[in-house]
């Protein structure tokens, strides 16, 4: 990372610890943010091709909460799960085992692809008192406002898997393609914030273990959405959605909220799929109200 984070001052006040756990035969790297004696613990699951750093801007505005942020298997500092296909069932099983081992009964939070993983896990029996979904995938990606772009992405990942290993991996890590993706998702007009967003994607979006894991995870991300799991989720659920999300239209998010037994929807204006980078304070505020966590003085 070469561009300073606009949230660095807040982040630097948070205690952070890196730990590891053996989950489903592989080693999961995870980070614990916030006070060890916090009354509230949240497990936060990042999105496709990202890793735990992506959620840090939101965590910077939640200093009162203990947040456990793992890297998904095959991404960041977590290696692939040995001998497994990294499909949605495997990711949900991994999260269920990780939560039981590291923080049983924690509140579960998922962003983007993480919203699918967390919803599948909770619907499948992962016990949690509450569920939080940021930019939830509430409709098939192929049918969203940029369905054509998603179809091109399918071809891109297919080509990356088909080419010889060296060429395929180079294509999947191509910085120009990553930048085009970043530009297409960023909505802010703030030049400094845009530079930060692009630098985040340049730095972290190609930290996948290998092209097979990336292909598996991509197929999982475009083959499922939260709608399939919402009716089986009975715990109070918060959806934080962007009014200009190019992946799931806000109308689809409003419909998604009605499929849960007990859900509330918070809409954030003038932002797209990068709530965690562009409007983290608003997202954190919605989370705090949902969890009824008071703001500490001086924060």
């Amino acid at each position: 990372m070469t561009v300073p984070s606009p949230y660095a001052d807040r982040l630097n006040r948070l205690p952070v610890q890196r730990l590891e756990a053996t989950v489903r035969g592989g080693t999961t790297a995870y980070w614990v943010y916030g006070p060890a004696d916090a009354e509230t613990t949240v497990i936060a699951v990042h999105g496709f091709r990202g890793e735990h750093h992506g959620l840090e801007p939101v965590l910077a505005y939640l200093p009162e909460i203990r947040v456990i942020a793992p890297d998904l298997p095959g991404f960041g500092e977590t290696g692939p799960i040995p001998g497994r296909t990294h499909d949605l069932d495997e990711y949900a099983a991994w999260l269920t085992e990780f939560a039981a081992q590291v923080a049983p009964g924690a509140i579960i939070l998922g962003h983007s692809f993480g919203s699918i993983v967390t919803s599948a896990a909770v619907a499948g029996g992962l016990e949690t008192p509450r569920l939080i979904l940021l930019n939830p995938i509430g409709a098939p990606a192929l049918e969203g406002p940029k369905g054509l772009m998603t179809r091109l992405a399918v071809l891109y990942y297919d080509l990356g898997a088909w080419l010889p290993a060296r060429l395929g991996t180079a294509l999947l890590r191509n910085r120009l393609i990553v930048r085009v993706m970043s530009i297409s998702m960023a909505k802010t007009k703030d030049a400094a914030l845009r530079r930060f967003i692009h630098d985040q994607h340049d730095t972290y979006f190609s930290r996948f273990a290998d092209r097979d894991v990336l292909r598996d995870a991509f197929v999982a991300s475009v083959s499922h959405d939260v709608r399939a799991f919402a009716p089986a989720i009975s715990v109070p659920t918060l959806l934080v959605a962007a009014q200009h999300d190019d992946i799931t239209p806000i109308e689809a998010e409003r419909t998604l909220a009605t499929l849960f037994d007990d859900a509330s929807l918070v809409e954030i204006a003038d932002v797209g799929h990068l709530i965690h980078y562009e409007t983290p304070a608003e997202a954190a505020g919605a989370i705090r109200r949902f969890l009824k966590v008071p703001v500490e003085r001086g924060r």
Side-chain angles (χ1 to χ4, degrees), residues 140-153 180-187 244-249:
L142 292 171
E143 298 176 11
K146 291 197 173 180
L148 176 60
M149 291 293 290
T150 303
R151 287 179 173 81
L152 291 175
V180 169
M181 174 279 307
S182 187
I183 291 171
S184 71
M185 289 197 295
K187 302 298 183 186
H244 300 291
D245 195 333
D246 291 322
I247 295 179
T248 301

Side-chain angles (χ1 to χ4, degrees), residues 244-263:
H244 300 291
D245 195 333
D246 291 322
I247 295 179
T248 301
I250 192 61
E251 294 80 7
E253 303 285 31
R254 293 166 183 161
T255 299
L256 175 64
T258 68
L259 302 181
F260 290 87
D261 183 60
D262 180 5

Side-chain angles (χ1 to χ4, degrees), residues 20-232:
E20 293 183 349
T22 300
V23 183
R24 296 186 70 74
T27 300
T28 293
Y30 66 98
W31 287 256
V32 182
Y33 297 80
D37 60 351
E39 294 183 4
T40 303
T41 296
V42 173
I43 295 176
V45 181
H46 64 78
F48 175 68
R49 280 193 75 151
E51 39 116 283
H52 72 281
H53 283 100
L55 291 171
E56 284 189 334
V58 179
L59 308 189
Y61 288 92
L62 295 170
E64 314 87 355
I65 296 174
R66 178 173 176 256
V67 179
I68 297 171
D71 283 346
L72 281 168
F75 295 89
E77 296 183 30
T78 296
I81 299 172
R84 304 281 186 168
T85 298
H86 290 68
D87 55 17
L88 182 58
D89 287 344
E90 183 58 36
Y91 277 118
W94 162 83
L95 177 59
T96 300
E97 186 173 320
F98 175 78
Q101 180 180 157
V102 174
I107 292 159
I108 303 297
L109 180 153
H111 169 254
S112 191
F113 176 53
S115 74
I116 303 175
V117 173
T118 55
S119 296
V122 173
L126 170 58
E127 294 188 4
T128 180
R130 289 174 179 256
L131 176 64
I132 301 167
L133 307 177
L134 303 182
N135 285 115
I137 307 301
L142 292 171
E143 298 176 11
K146 291 197 173 180
L148 176 60
M149 291 293 290
T150 303
R151 287 179 173 81
L152 291 175
V154 171
L155 294 176
Y156 167 65
Y157 286 104
D158 282 346
L159 183 59
W162 177 80
L163 287 169
R166 184 177 176 182
L167 288 175
T169 301
L171 174 67
L172 293 169
R173 290 195 166 111
N174 184 277
R175 290 175 65 87
L176 177 59
I177 293 174
V178 170
R179 179 56 60 89
V180 169
M181 174 279 307
S182 187
I183 291 171
S184 71
M185 289 197 295
K187 302 298 183 186
T188 180
K189 300 296 192 295
D190 184 317
L193 182 54
R194 289 182 72 89
R195 284 194 297 272
F196 169 70
I197 291 169
H198 298 332
D199 186 64
Q200 287 279 293
H201 289 141
D202 288 346
T203 303
Y204 300 119
F205 234 54
S206 293
R207 296 185 66 196
F208 53 88
D210 57 56
R211 61 180 184 164
D212 292 332
V213 168
L214 186 65
R215 167 68 179 168
D216 287 349
F218 174 73
V219 170
S221 73
V222 298
S223 302
H224 304 274
D225 61 78
V226 177
R227 293 179 308 171
F229 310 106

